[in-house]
Structures are given as C-alpha cells and as structure tokens.
C-alpha cells in the first residue's frame, strides 16, 4: 500500500486536474461569440459646437486626422477637466508649432450618472467639434466596450487612448494584488509586457481596426486580451516610458476588481485554447 502522504498527493493532483477540466468546460460552454456592438439610435450622432446633431464617422472611412485621443470616462465630472486642460494645451501648442498636425479628442461617456457629458461638451464649444467630440453611451459598457464604440467615431491615422479609471493609491495590499495580477498575465496570456494595464496606449489605424474588431472582453481585463490579440497577429509592441500624473478618484475597487480580472484572464486563456474564441491569422502588420 502506498504511504498515506503519497496517496493524498495523488488525490490532490486528481482533484486539481478535475477542477481545471471543469473550469475549462465552463469557460467553453459559457463563451459567447464576438459581442454584438449594438448601437442605440442616440449613439449614432454627436452634437457639434452649435448643439446640432451630426452623424458619427467611422474608422473604416478615409482618415482625416493624424491623431485621435480617446478618453473613456465614467462619472468623471471632477477629474476630466484637469486631464482635458493639459492634453488640449499640449495638442494646441503642437499644432501652433506645426500647422500640418491635426488631431481630435473623443470623450466617450460610458453611461455616466453625473455631468460628465456636459463637462466634456464645454470643451467642444471652446475648441469646436472638429477637435473635441463627445459620445454619450446609453448604458455602461466598461472601458473595453466604450473604446470599441469609438471605432465608429475615429477619423484618424493613429490613435491613443487615455483611461480615467486607473489606480490612485498604492497600499501594500494593492501592491501585492498588482504583482499577483502581473504574474497571472505573464503565466496565462501575455509575455514580454511589463505593464499591460497602463492607461496610455497608442495604436496605428490598421492595428486598432484589427485588434478591437476581435475583442471580446469589455471590462477591466480588455487590455490583456488586446495585447494577446496583437501578439497573435505579430503586431510589433514597444513600451515607452512617459510622465504620468495620477488624479485621485479612481473607480477601481481593489479586491473585487482584481478578482474579476483574474477570472477574465483564466477565461481568456481557456477560451482561446479550447477554440471557443478564434482568431484568423493575417499577414504581419507594420
């Protein structure tokens, strides 16, 4: 008879294998195809500086801007002005130095319950709807969902997205959770990227159309799937250091948010591994 310790070890391994098989099965049967990008009638238009409705352009249209800055926002009436003042100040200065440089800032109000849209619209009135556009979603979709929605409003050749919902404080507990999350990202999904959750990502028009059109996750872990897709398509990725000033007021609830992201990471890996989600290989992109 095998020693009791060995029997327990074998039993433990069997149980772990059974749990993993069960989780993989659940991930497969609960997987949905590409989330339908349903657009409410109100979301097909934006208000210009005069308050008149105009039809949203699409990322599939011919580009008219060199840079689009996408700002997904949820209940950000207090934090938004600080970011907008600094970003628009820089962009205006750059345009003054180089008149050929063109840009737009797209604020996507992700179903906010405060005055986020009204605050953002003041910048549209100040700078014009050619430079600042506000999209107000009927209901909250999450950052990934909000950024997918902005594909219908981009006129650019390249784009950046700035997240207003990043981490505000660093306690020991949050730091521990952060390192645990980064390990799971490395182990399950994306290797070679030190900070997948950095809220400042710059994509070419072609890369944006390929990655976001294949995106399933709509909430916190969408960044990881985005990079997973980019690596699958062999899109070159580079991490560049930037000066980042955090504004307090984050909507992130540490424990529950990290728990949700951990579940999403596991399901991202299992659903692609089991074929529940598929990516069609395409040519290497610049």
């Amino acid at each position: 008879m095998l020693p009791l310790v060995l029997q327990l070890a074998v039993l433990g391994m069997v149980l772990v294998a059974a749990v993993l098989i069960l989780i993989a099965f659940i991930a497969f049967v609960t997987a949905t195809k590409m989330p339908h990008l349903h657009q409410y009638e109100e979301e097909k238009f934006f208000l210009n500086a005069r308050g008149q409705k105009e039809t949203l352009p699409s990322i599939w249209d011919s580009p008219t801007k060199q840079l689009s800055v996408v700002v997904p926002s949820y209940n950000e009436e207090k934090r938004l002005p600080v970011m907008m003042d600094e970003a628009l100040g820089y962009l205006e200065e750059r345009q003054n130095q180089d008149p050929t440089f063109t840009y737009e800032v797209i604020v996507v109000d992700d179903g906010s319950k405060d005055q986020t849209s009204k605050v953002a619209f003041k910048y549209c009135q100040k700078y014009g709807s050619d430079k600042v556009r506000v999209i107000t979603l009927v209901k909250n979709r999450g950052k990934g969902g909000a950024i997918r929605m902005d594909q219908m409003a981009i006129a650019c050749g390249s784009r950046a997205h700035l997240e207003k919902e990043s981490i505000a404080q660093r306690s020991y507990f949050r730091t521990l959770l952060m390192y645990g999350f980064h390990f799971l990202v490395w182990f399950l999904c994306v290797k070679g990227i030190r900070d997948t959750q950095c809220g400042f990502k710059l994509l070419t028009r072609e890369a944006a159309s390929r990655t976001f059109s294949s995106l399933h996750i709509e909430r916190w872990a969408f960044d990881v799937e985005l990079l997973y897709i980019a690596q699958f398509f062999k899109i070159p990725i580079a991490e560049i250091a930037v000066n980042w000033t955090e504004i307090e007021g984050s909507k992130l609830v540490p424990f529950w948010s990290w728990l949700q992201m951990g579940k999403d990471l596991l399901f991202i890996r299992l659903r692609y591994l089991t074929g529940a989600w598929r990516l069609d290989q395409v040519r290497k992109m610049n």
Side-chain angles (χ1 to χ4, degrees):
M1 180 178 288
L2 292 173
L4 180 60
V5 174
L6 183 57
Q7 293 183 42
L8 291 175
V10 172
L11 179 61
M13 293 174 63
V14 171
L15 289 175
V16 169
V19 169
L20 289 175
I21 292 172
L22 178 61
I23 294 175
F25 177 75
I26 294 173
F28 183 84
V29 299
T30 59
T32 57
K33 295 182 179 179
M34 189 64 56
H36 177 60
L37 199 61
H38 175 71
Q39 195 176 21
Y40 291 90
E41 190 64 27
E42 304 94 308
E43 298 171 348
K44 297 178 181 179
F45 305 92
F46 69 95
L47 296 180
N48 61 27
R50 298 184 300 276
Q52 299 170 330
K53 283 186 177 181
E54 291 189 20
T55 304
L56 287 172
S58 169
I59 195 172
W60 310 112
D61 297 338
S62 298
T64 59
K65 304 289 183 182
Q66 288 181 313
L67 179 70
S68 286
V69 180
V70 181
V71 188
S73 304
Y74 179 68
N75 292 343
E76 296 290 356
E77 63 178 5
K78 295 182 179 179
R79 297 204 302 169
L80 189 62
V82 180
M83 173 265 158
M84 292 290 283
D85 288 339
E86 185 171 354
L88 286 165
Y90 165 78
L91 292 168
E92 284 291 289
E93 181 181 355
R94 179 173 172 182
Q95 190 174 66
N96 290 334
Q97 295 174 352
D98 179 10
T100 63
F101 171 71
T102 56
Y103 76 88
E104 64 181 350
V105 177
I106 303 173
V107 179
V108 185
D109 181 349
D110 190 18
S112 297
K113 298 177 181 178
D114 63 1
Q115 303 298 311
T116 295
S117 285
K118 290 184 178 180
V119 171
F121 188 67
K122 291 180 180 179
Y123 290 91
C124 174
Q125 293 175 314
K126 180 178 179 180
Y127 293 92
S129 54
D130 184 56
K131 291 184 176 179
V132 179
R133 187 174 300 144
V134 182
I135 303 174
T136 304
L137 305 186
V138 172
K139 66 176 184 179
N140 179 264
R141 298 172 183 263
K143 287 187 298 182
I147 295 175
R148 283 189 70 209
M149 283 298 296
D150 89 85
Q151 289 187 73
M152 301 179 181
I154 288 182
C156 68
S158 62
R159 81 183 199 171
H161 90 254
L162 298 175
E163 299 169 8
K164 295 300 296 170
E165 300 174 276
S166 49
I167 298 174
Q169 298 175 346
R170 294 291 185 194
S171 66
Y172 288 113
F173 179 61
R174 294 179 80 133
T175 301
L176 180 63
L177 289 175
M178 178 188 68
Y179 281 115
F181 177 77
H182 286 172
F183 171 77
L184 288 177
V185 169
W186 173 84
F187 183 72
L188 295 171
C189 300
V190 176
K191 292 178 172 58
I193 304 296
R194 291 194 301 173
D195 185 6
T196 60
Q197 303 310 109
C198 173
F200 190 101
K201 292 182 176 65
L202 180 69
L203 300 91
T204 64
R205 184 184 182 87
E206 186 181 7
S209 64
R210 286 299 300 152
T211 53
F212 281 102
S213 63
S214 304
L215 195 65
H216 298 81
I217 300 294
E218 293 192 331
R219 298 206 173 265
W220 293 103
F222 88 93
D223 300 85
V224 177
E225 189 189 5
L226 182 74
L227 291 167
Y228 180 91
I229 294 169
Q231 289 188 337
F232 177 86
F233 287 139
K234 295 180 171 51
I235 299 174
I237 303 172
E239 288 187 281
I240 307 297
V242 297
N243 293 325
W244 185 269
T245 302
E246 183 55 59
I247 305 171
E248 292 193 12
S250 171
K251 308 300 182 299
L252 186 70
V253 181
F255 179 77
W256 296 112
S257 295
W258 292 117
L259 193 65
Q260 174 67 42
M261 286 191 282
K263 186 205 78 171
D264 285 344
L265 291 180
L266 182 60
F267 275 28
I268 288 171
R269 179 59 177 169
L270 290 176
R271 283 169 174 165
Y272 279 115
L273 189 64
T274 59
W277 292 348
R278 296 177 183 273
L279 295 171
D280 295 324
Q281 183 61 269
V282 295
R283 62 185 176 82
K284 185 176 180 180
M285 300 168 63
N286 293 322

